[in-house]
């Protein structure tokens, strides 16, 4: 229902011979590309008991990768450094399963995990801000709609409400999160208007364009998806975790 965005993929694994009590050995490599920076959180527990789990990270020595460990006292950590590369390895054993609960706290609050990121917040903000503003500039259809929507309205408040109501009614919030897409897949506001849908980034661009058309200054707001509590936000901001950000 959001065809202009790159489609996601789901890998389905079938284990026909697995029975209750079977031990599964799974090894995988995670690849990230077309992103402004690399970031991820690796968890050492899930809903199944784990006999042994390890994470190996090979980092070029000239890459400023930030590493943070949380609740990881029981993990065994080793590192090997040579002329060009540093290898980090964490291993956990006899990891008990997590009992599913309604409205449980985010996993990084209470289970062993490793945070990795080479992101720089200031650089990322500058890239986002300049790119989004460029997509909002000189948009003919957006200008027409903004002027038509707010004509005959006298106060700034009434104009803002009219634009809010128009976008809420005419634009569907749809598509992958902007954090799952390359920055180059953000859309001009005229495209979002024409298609009638957009993710949070594209809808923010449309709001920005319409408000600036009628002379009301606005700015983009980037925040995390969780309440502003230290134990929730600090692990996401240092090192910076892109997947947990949202735009307004």
């Amino acid at each position: 229902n959001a065809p202009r965005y790159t489609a996601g993929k789901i890998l389905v694994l079938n284990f026909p011979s697995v029975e209750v009590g079977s031990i599964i050995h799974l090894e995988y490599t995670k690849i990230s590309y077309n992103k402004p920076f690399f970031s991820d959180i690796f968890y050492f527990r899930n809903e199944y008991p784990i006999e042994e789990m390890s994470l190996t990270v090979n980092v070029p020595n000239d890459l400023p990768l930030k590493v943070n460990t949380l609740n990881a006292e029981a993990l065994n950590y080793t590192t090997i450094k040579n002329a060009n590369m540093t290898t980090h390895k964490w291993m956990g054993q006899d990891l008990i399963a997590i009992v599913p609960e309604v409205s449980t706290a985010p996993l990084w609050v209470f289970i062993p995990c490793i945070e990795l990121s080479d992101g720089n917040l200031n650089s990322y903000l500058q890239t986002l801000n300049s790119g989004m503003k460029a997509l909002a500039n000189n948009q003919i259809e957006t200008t027409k709609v903004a002027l038509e929507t707010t004509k005959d309205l006298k106060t700034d408040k009434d104009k803002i409400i009219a634009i809010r109501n128009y976008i809420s009614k005419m634009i569907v919030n749809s598509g992958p999160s902007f954090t799952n897409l390359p920055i180059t897949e953000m859309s001009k506001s005229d495209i979002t208007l024409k298609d009638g849908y957009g993710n949070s980034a594209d809808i923010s661009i449309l709001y920005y364009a319409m408000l600036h058309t009628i002379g009301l200054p606005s700015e983009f707001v980037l925040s995390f998806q969780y309440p502003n509590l230290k134990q929730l936000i600090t692990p996401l901001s240092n090192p910076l975790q892109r997947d947990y950000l949202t735009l307004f």
Side-chain angles (χ1 to χ4, degrees), residues 42 44 52-59 65-69 72 75-79 87-92 113-116:
F42 297 87
F44 275 79
E52 183 177 284
M53 181 177 185
S54 66
L55 168 67
T56 301
V57 182
N58 298 312
V59 187
L65 183 70
K66 297 178 181 178
V67 179
N68 186 34
T69 59
L75 301 182
N76 179 45
Y77 170 69
T78 58
T79 181
T87 299
H88 304 272
K89 184 174 182 178
W90 294 267
M91 179 178 291
C113 62
I114 310 298
E115 295 185 302
L116 305 171

Side-chain angles (χ1 to χ4, degrees), residues 195-213:
D195 290 346
Y197 69 86
N199 59 22
S200 62
D202 287 346
I203 292 176
S204 295
I205 292 168
L206 178 57
Y207 268 111
Y208 179 92
M210 292 183 72
L211 290 170
H212 276 255
T213 293

Side-chain angles (χ1 to χ4, degrees), residues 104-121:
T104 186
L107 295 181
W108 63 82
V109 174
F110 64 96
I111 72 169
C113 62
I114 310 298
E115 295 185 302
L116 305 171
S117 177
D118 67 339
N120 179 280
L121 179 58

Side-chain angles (χ1 to χ4, degrees), residues 142 145-146 149 159-174 189 192-193 196-200 202-211:
T142 302
V145 169
T149 300
K159 294 176 181 179
I160 292 171
I161 292 174
I163 288 176
R164 189 276 313 272
N165 290 345
Y166 177 88
I167 293 177
S168 296
K169 180 179 179 181
M170 302 303 295
I171 308 299
V172 177
N173 192 331
S174 183
S189 60
T192 301
L193 268 181
Y197 69 86
N199 59 22
S200 62
D202 287 346
I203 292 176
S204 295
I205 292 168
L206 178 57
Y207 268 111
Y208 179 92
M210 292 183 72
L211 290 170

Side-chain angles (χ1 to χ4, degrees), residues 6-19:
T6 298
K9 297 180 180 180
I10 298 176
L11 175 64
V12 178
L13 300 177
N14 185 22
F15 299 98
S17 300
V18 172
E19 300 176 351

Side-chain angles (χ1 to χ4, degrees), residues 11-244:
L11 175 64
V12 178
L13 300 177
N14 185 22
F15 299 98
S17 300
V18 172
E19 300 176 351
V20 175
S22 295
I23 298 175
I24 302 172
H25 178 79
L26 175 64
E27 182 175 341
Y28 68 93
T29 301
K30 189 167 186 176
I31 300 174
S32 177
Y33 56 91
N34 289 336
K35 301 290 181 66
F37 58 87
F38 170 79
S39 66
D40 212 336
I41 303 178
F42 297 87
Y43 300 102
F44 275 79
R45 286 176 61 194
N46 57 35
E47 64 270 30
Y48 304 106
I50 301 172
E51 286 193 347
E52 183 177 284
M53 181 177 185
S54 66
L55 168 67
T56 301
V57 182
N58 298 312
V59 187
N61 291 336
D62 59 352
L63 180 69
L65 183 70
K66 297 178 181 178
V67 179
N68 186 34
T69 59
L70 297 171
N71 314 305
E73 296 80 5
L75 301 182
N76 179 45
Y77 170 69
T78 58
T79 181
I80 300 175
K81 186 173 183 179
N82 58 33
N84 301 312
M85 192 80 67
T86 299
T87 299
H88 304 272
K89 184 174 182 178
W90 294 267
M91 179 178 291
Q93 295 178 316
D94 299 324
L95 305 169
I96 62 175
I98 300 171
V99 179
E101 297 180 8
V102 177
S103 301
T104 186
L107 295 181
W108 63 82
V109 174
F110 64 96
I111 72 169
C113 62
I114 310 298
E115 295 185 302
L116 305 171
S117 177
D118 67 339
N120 179 280
L121 179 58
N122 290 333
S123 175
Y124 183 48
L125 291 176
Q126 292 173 8
T127 300
L128 271 182
N129 194 48
S130 60
M132 295 175 73
K133 287 182 177 179
L135 294 170
N137 290 337
N138 303 316
Q139 300 298 293
I140 296 174
E141 291 304 316
T142 302
T143 299
K144 290 179 180 178
V145 169
L147 294 176
E148 178 66 23
T149 300
T150 59
K151 70 177 182 180
D152 302 327
L153 299 177
K154 304 302 182 183
T155 69
D156 290 346
K157 180 179 179 180
D158 287 341
K159 294 176 181 179
I160 292 171
I161 292 174
I163 288 176
R164 189 276 313 272
N165 290 345
Y166 177 88
I167 293 177
S168 296
K169 180 179 179 181
M170 302 303 295
I171 308 299
V172 177
N173 192 331
S174 183
S177 167
F178 81 98
T179 60
N180 292 330
L181 299 169
I183 288 180
T184 53
E185 287 205 25
M186 292 191 298
S187 305
K188 294 181 177 181
S189 60
D190 276 3
I191 293 176
T192 301
L193 268 181
K194 176 177 70 70
D195 290 346
Y197 69 86
N199 59 22
S200 62
D202 287 346
I203 292 176
S204 295
I205 292 168
L206 178 57
Y207 268 111
Y208 179 92
M210 292 183 72
L211 290 170
H212 276 255
T213 293
I214 61 173
L216 296 179
S218 62
E219 296 294 340
F220 301 109
V221 176
L222 183 71
S223 78
F224 290 108
Q225 304 168 11
Y226 294 91
N228 189 23
L229 300 174
K230 183 178 180 180
Q231 62 267 41
L232 297 183
I233 299 302
T234 299
L236 300 181
S237 58
N238 186 26
L240 183 62
Q241 297 297 320
R242 183 171 181 260
D243 289 346
Y244 297 89

